[in-house]
Amino acid sequence: MTQDSTISPVLDVAHKTIAIAGCASLVTMDETGWPSARAVAAFPPDENFSKMVIATHPDSRKTTHVKADPRVLLSYLELENRGYVTIIGHAHLDDDREARKAYWTDRFSAFWPDGPESDAYQLIVAEPERLEVRSFGLGVAEDPTRWSPVILERRGSGAWAKNN
């Protein structure tokens, strides 16, 4: 997987923006075809944004929506630097016990007192296919006069490429 050298700085800003924002809006498609949004605290992405992981309950709306339509969007808004990251991709459910242990934090005990082994603990794994990144304060904006983000799309090799 070879990426253009201009991609790493954009991914770095995306990581910083997500860390500062903390919380995201997860948008799924409901049973009527309308978008449905809710706040989530996704785990930080890996270096290359290969996946985004969200803890949830197997009976949640987001789980039901992902089962029916895997298209998802995660949006992080970061006001201090006038930035945002939008992640568009497809998601699937992961109830692998080892993955659930890997994506466990003590703060989850309030929601899942039985720990990562609980049948009520489910992971949603989103695989990003498109990133939109803008942060005036951190120096990422394709056209500041039009408020345009830098758009990255995943190639078949798994590498990111600019789409603008």
Side-chain angles (χ1 to χ4, degrees), residues 27-37 64-65 68-69 71:
V27 179
T28 57
M29 303 303 285
D30 73 13
E31 56 282 346
T32 65
W34 282 92
S36 178
T64 302
H65 293 174
D69 186 336
R71 295 176 296 163

Side-chain angles (χ1 to χ4, degrees), residues 51-52 54 66-67 70 72 90-95 122-127:
K51 66 182 174 181
M52 302 294 296
I54 301 159
V66 166
K67 283 180 188 176
V72 296
H90 287 83
H92 65 273
L93 304 177
D94 185 351
D95 62 0
Q122 173 80 60
L123 298 178
I124 294 175
V125 178
E127 296 173 357

Side-chain angles (χ1 to χ4, degrees), residues 2-36:
T2 303
Q3 288 182 156
D4 178 318
S5 62
T6 64
I7 301 298
S8 289
V10 176
L11 295 178
D12 289 344
V13 167
H15 278 281
K16 288 176 186 172
T17 301
I18 287 170
I20 295 168
C23 190
S25 289
L26 171 68
V27 179
T28 57
M29 303 303 285
D30 73 13
E31 56 282 346
T32 65
W34 282 92
S36 178

Side-chain angles (χ1 to χ4, degrees), residues 57 104-116 118 120-121:
H57 190 282
W104 179 261
T105 178
D106 289 339
R107 69 175 193 219
F108 288 168
S109 296
F111 306 103
W112 298 284
D114 295 334
S118 171
Y121 181 59

Side-chain angles (χ1 to χ4, degrees), residues 3-21 44-49 76 78 81 83-85 87 131-135 137-141 150 152 160 162:
Q3 288 182 156
D4 178 318
S5 62
T6 64
I7 301 298
S8 289
V10 176
L11 295 178
D12 289 344
V13 167
H15 278 281
K16 288 176 186 172
T17 301
I18 287 170
I20 295 168
D46 61 8
E47 183 179 326
N48 199 41
F49 282 83
Y76 293 85
E78 193 272 296
N81 291 295
Y84 70 87
V85 175
I87 301 165
L131 297 177
E132 297 180 6
V133 182
R134 191 196 79 210
S135 177
L138 297 176
V140 173
V150 172
L152 304 179
W160 291 104
K162 282 190 178 180

Side-chain angles (χ1 to χ4, degrees), residues 53-75:
V53 179
I54 301 159
T56 191
H57 190 282
D59 295 330
S60 69
R61 280 184 310 133
K62 56 187 159 293
T63 302
T64 302
H65 293 174
V66 166
K67 283 180 188 176
D69 186 336
R71 295 176 296 163
V72 296
L73 180 146
L74 279 158
S75 184

